[in-house]
Amino acid sequence: MLQNQNAFQSSTREPVLAVEDLVVRFATARGAVHAVDGVSLALAAGETLGLVGESGCGKSTLGRAILRLIEPSQGHIRLDGTDVTHHSRSALRATRRKVQMVFQDPFASLDPRWTVGELIAEPLHIHGIGTRAARKAKVADILAKVGLPPEAARRYPHQFSGGQRQRIGIARALVLDPEVVVLDEPVSALDVSVQAQILNLLVDLQETLGVAFLFISHDLSVVEYVSDRVAVMYLGRMVEIADRETLFAAPAHPYTRALLDAVPQIGGDGAPRRPPLAGDLPSPYAPPPGCRFHTRCPTAQARCGSDIPVLRTLTGGHQVACHFPLATVPETA
Amino acid sequence: MSEPVLQVRRLNVGFASRGRVTPAVRDLSFSVKAGETLAIVGESGSGKSLTAFALLGLVPPPGVVSGEAIALEGRNLIGLPEKRLREVRGARIAMIFQEPMTALNPVLTIGEQIMEVILEHERVSPRAAKARALELLAQVRIPDAERRFHDYPHRLSGGMRQRVVIAMALACAPAVLVADEPTTALDVTIQAQILDLIDTLKREHGTAVVLITHDLGVVAEHADRVLVLYAGRKVEERAARDLFAAPLHPYTRGLIAARPRLGGRGAVRARLTEIPGTVPGLAAMPDGCAFAPRCPVAEAACTLALPPLVPAGTGSVACLRVGDIHAAEPERLSVVHA
Amino acid sequence: MSLITLAAPTPHAAPRSGFLWRLLRRPSGVVGLLLLAAIIAVAASAPLLYPDDPLDMVAQPFLWPGQDAAYPLGTDMMGRDIASGIFHGARVSLLIGAVAASVSLLIGTATGALAGYYGGRTDAALMRVTELFQTIPPFLFALAIVAILQPSIPTITLAIGITAWPSLARLVRAEVLKLRNGELVQASIALGAGDLRIIVLHILPNTLAPIIVSASILVASAILTESSLAFLGLGDPNVVSWGGMVGAGREVLRTDWYIATLPGLAIVVAVLALNLLGDGLNDALDPKGERRA
């Protein structure tokens, strides 16, 4: 399959995680929804792939499907080359050590009745790792790594602020030394001043631990800051993947361009922006035919309404799914 | 046009419990002129939403509002009986909310809800009210208004709902529109549409807008003046252009520096400037400047007494060290944004 | 790495440690707890104060309370000591109430937890069974079971236990369903935790509050059901029970009303105590109250 080969080529190293043509279908009362519709991506060891898109684009569903928290309907998920798409739950438990997740809401994902030490040691318990003393040492070690004092282990989640709770969530995800961590909007619930702390922490941790991040967010500035490569989704489909500099300086897909234009910025000179995208996101129950973006696209042409654009490579790992990609000459900003 | 339509003087909002009032907004004064957008910026716990609710007399118990005045077109709203407040609310001062669904009644059509606001405040026939409602729907750029008039809120997208709430808020052409995080729940492309719409309507009707937000990007693009709240107090208020060109208060500077900037990252990743620690809780407010424990330039004096608001350029700032900062790094102030 | 100071520590170190304190700060909790303690004391002291069989005739019949100091609450139409009956009856009521509630708790929690956690067909099947039980009035159902099996303490307890669980099952299911789709459980699955671990360690402890509150109400209603059965003559004939005493006194209600009223009062106090306790527990276990406290 052409698409998959492209996904592999885009990363120079052997991918630790490869998603191939993944489809997640939900049967609902209002009909079937293709929340993720044939998405492929690859994540190399130690890199950060940012995954952006607006609500309903399927980015969170994709993240959860990679962890098999939601069962994919079609396609493959490979970890270190092993296809885990159809692993039984018991076989999956072993692979779960390699892929971990950090959730958006640090209030909801931590059991309020457990101490922080117990919460962080739980993954070690589940996988039968280490003696009691070794686990204790590991908990102390990971607490230090995420910037929490050792006495935090004896306290309960409600005694911490939002930012500190997110540190606990990160510690829990990292205590098993995973190869991949899926971060689902990890800083969206936090105040700006605390966001910076967590973003710096994530960058530091990746440098010391060499873990790969799939960083899911709706916030383009945050994604630009943390990512090596960036993937953009729209209504269940991948529309563009490129390395960070290319994507932010010279996006090829009109949707990516529009997303970037819509971000309100400090330091604008007051010059009028390009007008915002018109119209609403179409209903995921009845996505438009052809290119799903054509109903809102400022440069759409007749064939966009009928032919589905395939993800194709422009230059050096820059892939776009558009019949009429924008000129990829970097703009001078 | 130069007379402010809304003047808030020494506003205090607190929470009463067991005979004591814990202050959440303290000694807050500001004013907004017709056709002007004042942004109130702050993080969670800054008291910005509470201020918005206080402006409309909507602070729920155990909240307590006191102070000198919330003067709307010369009339003080503090202490006004509920019945009189209701005449003002929706007619002279209106509000839009973060989550539009909470402001809409799920069992009434959007047309009925807009008509209701008009009929509540004005002696007009239902027929005239309906005509106005349709006109308002068109004004907030709802396509196919005639048909949408009969839709229930759940049939609309988040962006469309927020447009309906804006139409309701503007139904009686209020002098002041309070927008409490109006786009936080919306996608970024829809956010741009809604903020542009508010700007356009403001220009057309000369409405004064109080925009409550945590997003400095939104402020930079849509506000004329900016008021920065920290732990319930105003720490800086300036013309937006001046504030972003040269933020004076260490907290304002921290907020701007903590935010990754789109297109701002080169090949090498510079660390984001952190503001260490977290916002103090209401019950554990430090003496002196509330920001002192997190401030990179705080000195002993900052923890002793509350820094007074002093005039600074186009506004004022409350920081004892502001003069020293100016002297120490003049170049930093000028290159905050190229 | 930035230095982080811990958030202002809250007065109680653990969420659970302050629980008794919170319960005792509420009038309903205090009164309920005191009354229940009194009833337990009465039940515990029965064999010491009244070592003889309370069904024995000990004095002349129809002694009014206060008439004879040896029988402070008087005697009934068969000359049995009413005080002795109430003391021994407390044992029966508490025993049946506690065991029947435990049976309900076990069935209801297991059914609700499995249905809520697994969803789909498991849920549909279990809820169908629950509905089946709910369509039959629990008292009539218990009555029928006891009538068929012959009244004895075990059969009465069982009958009450297996008819009272459906509402609890629905409550637990709703709570579990809420948690099942939340990030708490998703996070546990992502860590590789098995179903049993998730249900026992994360879900049930977080649904404990409504379960405990229902438990106190279940005990109260079990006591009431047992009394009703005994009143109708379907109590265990070999033991004294409050309901049975009321039933026996019914015939002489016009003349010697104290015979039915005194054990009736005991029932009222017991049920009231448990309901007050449930009320107090509800407030004390409310996590929002926890934060406020």
Side-chain angles (χ1 to χ4, degrees):
Chain A
M1 214 165 283
L2 182 73
Q3 230 167 305
N4 306 338
Q5 284 163 0
N6 286 342
F8 282 118
Q9 280 162 13
S10 64
S11 112
T12 47
R13 285 164 286 184
E14 178 66 18
V16 284
L17 170 74
V19 173
E20 296 163 22
D21 258 330
L22 202 74
V23 176
V24 180
R25 223 178 355 246
F26 293 122
T28 71
R30 287 168 65 188
V33 180
H34 289 72
V36 175
D37 200 1
V39 167
S40 302
L41 56 83
L43 190 59
E47 79 162 343
T48 298
L49 175 64
L51 185 58
V52 292
E54 297 178 283
S55 54
C57 75
K59 56 187 192 299
S60 275
T61 308
L62 176 59
R64 277 161 208 243
I66 287 170
L67 277 102
R68 296 260 319 266
L69 293 176
I70 295 172
E71 289 299 328
S73 316
Q74 272 171 53
H76 300 276
I77 301 161
R78 285 181 216 283
L79 266 182
D80 288 330
T82 314
D83 191 332
V84 298
T85 328
H86 303 292
H87 270 185
S88 66
R89 283 204 67 170
S90 52
L92 206 57
R93 279 180 70 170
T95 61
R96 285 221 153 103
R97 277 185 68 173
K98 295 185 185 170
V99 190
Q100 287 296 312
M101 183 146 181
V102 173
F103 292 84
Q104 170 176 1
D105 188 351
F107 292 74
S109 54
L110 300 173
D111 195 323
R113 287 163 198 277
W114 290 38
T115 65
V116 169
E118 288 165 353
L119 282 168
I120 298 176
E122 194 191 10
L124 300 171
H125 260 290
I126 292 170
H127 294 279
I129 298 169
T131 59
R132 177 182 279 272
R135 285 199 290 262
K136 218 172 162 185
K138 181 87 189 165
V139 169
D141 174 55
I142 203 87
L143 275 175
K145 281 202 175 99
V146 299
L148 288 172
E151 59 268 25
R154 290 190 303 272
R155 295 173 176 250
Y156 289 86
H158 75 272
Q159 294 172 287
F160 294 85
S161 68
Q164 291 167 332
R165 271 186 245 204
Q166 198 54 295
R167 287 174 195 265
I168 299 166
I170 292 168
R172 233 179 152 208
L174 290 178
V175 75
L176 290 170
D177 299 317
E179 293 172 15
V180 177
V181 177
V182 175
L183 301 116
D184 188 6
E185 302 271 9
V187 297
S188 303
L190 306 176
D191 276 324
V192 179
S193 68
V194 179
Q195 251 185 31
Q197 297 171 7
I198 299 296
L199 291 175
N200 281 337
L201 173 70
L202 288 171
V203 169
D204 290 343
L205 286 170
Q206 185 169 48
E207 255 162 42
T208 47
L209 303 175
V211 57
F213 287 155
L214 179 63
F215 192 98
I216 302 171
S217 176
H218 70 282
D219 187 330
L220 287 126
S221 331
V222 165
V223 165
E224 182 189 12
Y225 182 74
V226 297
S227 304
D228 301 308
R229 290 190 303 129
V230 179
V232 184
M233 285 180 75
Y234 184 78
L235 274 183
R237 295 222 182 110
M238 195 63 84
V239 298
E240 187 165 6
I241 306 183
D243 63 77
R244 182 195 72 250
E245 277 170 87
T246 311
L247 190 110
F248 283 89
H253 200 287
Y255 176 63
T256 313
R257 173 83 268 166
L259 264 186
L260 291 174
D261 284 343
V263 178
Q265 291 201 61
I266 299 173
D269 45 9
R273 281 182 289 128
R274 257 166 277 220
L277 270 190
D280 261 331
L281 274 168
S283 160
Y285 294 95
C291 173
R292 290 192 171 170
F293 185 57
H294 84 267
T295 53
R296 301 172 77 197
C297 182
T299 56
Q301 312 214 0
R303 74 177 278 218
C304 300
S306 52
D307 300 357
I308 297 174
V310 182
L311 203 63
R312 60 198 168 102
T313 303
L314 297 174
T315 48
H318 187 176
Q319 294 175 283
V320 65
C322 177
H323 298 305
F324 308 101
L326 305 169
T328 50
V329 188
E331 286 181 25
T332 40
Chain B
M1 284 296 261
S2 61
E3 191 62 19
V5 287
L6 177 70
Q7 255 189 308
V8 173
R9 288 192 301 271
R10 312 197 64 136
L11 174 71
N12 285 290
V13 187
F15 293 105
S17 87
R18 298 194 201 119
R20 284 189 54 234
V21 175
T22 312
V25 173
R26 288 181 290 184
D27 223 8
L28 182 64
S29 304
F30 61 87
S31 62
V32 204
K33 286 182 239 169
E36 185 188 43
T37 298
L38 171 78
I40 300 185
V41 188
E43 299 181 283
S44 50
S46 65
K48 59 185 190 304
S49 279
L50 211 52
T51 305
F53 281 86
L55 293 180
L56 280 97
L58 288 174
V59 174
V64 188
V65 177
S66 61
E68 213 170 279
I70 297 175
L72 175 68
E73 299 176 306
R75 171 149 60 159
N76 190 353
L77 302 185
I78 295 182
L80 212 61
E82 179 64 24
K83 185 161 175 286
R84 307 293 301 282
L85 261 179
R86 233 179 286 145
E87 291 165 14
V88 176
R89 238 186 255 146
R92 303 310 303 152
I93 183 166
M95 184 159 173
I96 55 182
F97 302 84
Q98 173 172 344
E99 185 38 72
M101 205 57 197
T102 57
L104 293 170
N105 185 340
V107 300
L108 291 181
T109 68
I110 59 169
E112 287 167 339
Q113 299 190 51
I114 300 173
M115 280 174 63
E116 198 187 307
V117 179
I118 301 168
L119 292 170
E120 171 82 28
H121 292 286
E122 292 173 31
R123 292 171 170 278
V124 292
S125 68
R127 185 190 296 270
K130 180 170 182 185
R132 268 269 290 290
L134 281 169
E135 202 179 294
L136 282 161
L137 284 177
Q139 251 185 49
V140 296
R141 320 279 191 276
I142 288 186
D144 211 356
E146 204 58 76
R147 195 168 56 83
R148 286 296 186 195
F149 188 89
H150 301 287
D151 269 346
Y152 289 92
H154 72 264
R155 297 277 308 254
L156 305 180
S157 67
M160 285 296 155
R161 281 179 205 149
Q162 195 60 291
R163 285 168 195 270
V164 172
V165 175
I166 293 173
M168 284 167 66
L170 297 178
C172 298
V176 179
L177 176 68
V178 180
D180 183 13
E181 301 265 11
T183 56
T184 306
L186 303 177
D187 281 319
V188 62
T189 58
I190 309 297
Q191 159 170 295
Q193 295 172 0
I194 297 290
L195 291 172
D196 283 3
L197 174 69
I198 294 176
D199 278 354
T200 310
L201 295 172
K202 176 191 80 169
R203 268 196 307 277
E204 285 170 6
H205 301 275
T207 317
V209 177
V210 179
L211 175 66
I212 313 279
T213 181
H214 69 281
D215 188 334
L216 286 169
V218 167
V219 175
E221 291 197 352
H222 298 275
D224 301 306
R225 298 180 63 77
V226 187
L227 189 165
V228 183
L229 271 186
Y230 185 77
R233 278 187 198 275
K234 172 157 77 173
V235 296
E236 182 166 1
E237 183 190 345
R238 320 248 312 279
R241 189 170 285 259
D242 298 343
L243 181 123
F244 287 109
L248 292 177
H249 198 282
Y251 175 62
T252 316
R253 300 170 55 171
L255 272 186
I256 293 173
R259 176 104 197 102
R261 221 154 45 88
L262 198 63
R265 185 192 152 183
V268 209
R269 179 163 38 204
R271 279 182 81 77
L272 293 171
T273 311
E274 297 179 7
I275 304 180
T278 47
V279 180
L282 289 183
M285 212 41 89
D287 291 332
C289 173
F291 187 59
R294 304 174 71 191
C295 181
V297 296
E299 51 185 24
C302 298
T303 61
L304 298 176
L306 208 60
L309 271 169
V310 294
T314 51
S316 54
V317 63
C319 175
L320 293 177
R321 302 285 328 262
V322 72
D324 306 335
I325 297 169
H326 252 307
E329 10 172 4
E331 79 290 346
R332 166 132 187 227
L333 291 185
S334 55
V335 294
V336 171
H337 291 297
Chain C
M1 209 147 291
S2 63
L3 266 175
I4 297 297
T5 46
L6 285 169
T10 26
H12 49 281
R16 272 165 292 191
S17 71
F19 164 68
L20 196 67
W21 171 239
R22 284 197 305 279
L23 179 63
L24 291 176
R25 281 208 340 224
R26 290 172 172 78
S28 56
V30 177
V31 176
L33 216 54
L34 282 179
L35 285 178
L36 188 65
I39 296 166
I40 291 173
V42 163
S45 60
L48 302 173
L49 293 177
Y50 301 97
D52 300 325
D53 189 340
L55 292 174
D56 287 349
M57 181 173 171
V58 289
Q60 72 178 99
F62 301 112
L63 266 181
W64 276 68
Q67 218 176 340
D68 184 335
Y71 308 102
L73 297 181
T75 59
D76 68 1
M77 56 279 189
M78 310 271 283
R80 294 175 294 211
D81 184 353
I82 291 180
S84 170
I86 285 178
F87 271 62
H88 282 270
R91 295 170 76 84
V92 175
S93 288
L94 284 183
L95 176 74
I96 291 180
V99 177
S102 305
V103 172
S104 292
L105 223 49
L106 211 66
I107 306 175
T109 306
T111 311
L114 292 176
Y117 187 81
Y118 286 104
R121 266 182 222 153
T122 316
D123 183 29
L126 287 173
M127 281 303 109
R128 208 55 41 83
V129 175
T130 309
E131 276 160 22
L132 190 74
F133 272 80
Q134 267 189 318
T135 51
I136 311 167
F139 181 68
L140 286 183
F141 198 0
L143 196 74
I145 295 174
V146 173
I148 295 166
L149 294 181
Q150 299 302 322
S152 70
I153 288 188
T155 58
I156 293 168
T157 309
L158 191 75
I160 297 172
I162 62 172
T163 52
W165 60 270
S167 61
L168 182 73
R170 288 189 163 274
L171 179 86
V172 172
R173 174 178 173 272
E175 293 287 324
V176 171
L177 212 56
K178 238 188 294 170
L179 288 168
R180 174 71 177 90
N181 298 316
E183 288 198 346
L184 183 63
V185 170
Q186 298 268 297
S188 298
I189 297 176
L191 291 172
D195 291 344
L196 193 66
R197 180 182 184 91
I198 294 173
I199 294 177
V200 173
L201 291 184
H202 290 297
I203 292 186
L204 286 182
N206 281 296
T207 53
L208 213 55
I211 294 178
I212 288 176
V213 173
S214 320
S216 68
I217 308 297
L218 276 175
V219 176
S221 72
I223 290 176
L224 217 51
T225 308
E226 185 277 330
S227 301
S228 310
L229 287 172
F231 176 83
L232 293 177
L234 284 168
D236 188 329
N238 302 316
V239 294
V240 64
S241 126
W242 291 342
M245 289 167 74
V246 176
R250 178 183 47 170
E251 286 153 35
V252 293
L253 198 58
R254 278 157 183 265
T255 49
D256 303 277
W257 51 267
Y258 68 93
I259 297 174
T261 306
L262 290 173
L265 225 50
I267 297 171
V268 169
V269 170
V271 172
L272 185 71
L274 287 157
N275 275 301
L276 285 174
L277 185 65
D279 222 34
L281 284 168
N282 196 23
D283 291 344
L285 289 166
D286 180 8
K288 274 173 261 151
E290 191 170 286
R291 248 169 260 139
R292 250 184 276 122

